[in-house]
Amino acid sequence: MELLLLGAALAAIYVAAVKMVQANRAYGRSNEELRVLAARPVELARAKQRLEGQIKDTADQIGRVGIRIEHQKAEKAALDEELQRLRERAKDRIYVMERVMQPGQTLWELVVSNDTQFRDVGDEEYRLSWARGRRYVVSAATERDVRRRAELKFLGSQGFRVLQVERSARF
């Protein structure tokens, strides 16, 4: 009977040891889960701080973009006004000195003025156009040819003066 009692005691000790090992493993798993769960709020707090920083940066960037938009709107309005002013401005008038132009020759721009012959003309704009100088397009091989032809057409004795001769950049 003592043996039986001893066997029962050993069996009870064995069962208790197995249950302790299982409880110890469960305790370890629970501790690991608690550690993971405890780390979660810290991670969430860091993520929250990062998001708040990104939100602040984005708000700052939106503010800067808004200011740039306002500057661009003001600049666009100024450019629109300038464009309108340029559209309303009188256009440069360019005259052709001769009807026949030789192919392959250079186009020149010639500025001729006369502030004496048209002094008494009633049309102010016409008189001023001659006083400031009228621009003519001439087809010629050299600048010298342009001047010679201009002197034949616009006589100095009648008050005409050649102000400028230059290669045409427009045509």
Side-chain angles (χ1 to χ4, degrees):
M1 171 126 161
E2 286 181 14
L3 249 7
L4 189 58
L5 208 54
L6 182 63
L10 284 176
I13 290 173
Y14 176 75
V15 168
V18 167
K19 285 188 178 187
M20 259 176 70
V21 168
Q22 289 175 347
N24 196 15
R25 287 183 187 154
Y27 178 75
R29 284 192 304 267
S30 296
N31 275 341
E32 182 63 27
E33 288 177 12
L34 285 174
R35 190 184 60 75
V36 169
L37 289 175
R40 187 82 174 148
V42 173
E43 290 175 26
L44 290 173
R46 287 182 188 149
K48 179 182 174 188
Q49 285 178 342
R50 280 193 307 270
L51 288 175
E52 286 172 347
Q54 289 174 353
I55 289 170
K56 183 180 178 291
D57 291 344
T58 303
D60 291 345
Q61 189 175 9
I62 288 171
R64 287 191 304 271
V65 168
I67 291 169
R68 279 184 39 211
I69 287 172
E70 292 304 318
H71 286 301
Q72 301 250 329
K73 283 181 181 178
E75 187 178 339
K76 181 188 179 291
L79 289 173
D80 285 342
E81 289 175 13
E82 184 178 350
L83 178 63
Q84 188 62 29
R85 184 180 55 77
L86 289 173
R87 284 182 177 160
E88 292 171 356
R89 183 185 73 181
K91 308 292 187 267
D92 289 341
R93 293 203 173 156
I94 299 176
Y95 302 92
V96 177
M97 193 166 94
E98 299 163 339
R99 291 180 185 237
V100 177
M101 292 191 181
Q102 298 293 328
Q105 287 190 339
T106 305
L107 292 178
W108 298 83
E109 290 186 27
L110 165 73
V111 180
V112 178
S113 77
N114 188 332
D115 50 2
T116 58
Q117 185 173 0
F118 302 105
R119 186 178 307 159
D120 298 330
V121 174
D123 186 4
E124 177 88 13
E125 188 175 332
Y126 182 77
R127 184 177 58 76
L128 287 175
S129 75
W130 275 108
R132 287 188 207 115
R134 284 189 165 197
R135 191 169 291 275
Y136 284 86
V137 174
V138 181
S139 171
T142 65
E143 180 180 343
R144 187 177 191 214
D145 290 342
V146 174
R147 287 190 183 276
R148 184 181 53 77
R149 287 162 64 188
E151 289 169 359
L152 291 174
K153 182 167 179 95
F154 302 106
L155 301 175
S157 62
Q158 294 177 348
F160 290 100
R161 291 181 306 153
V162 174
L163 299 178
Q164 179 182 3
V165 176
E166 63 183 9
R167 282 182 189 256
S168 177
R170 301 179 200 218
F171 308 107

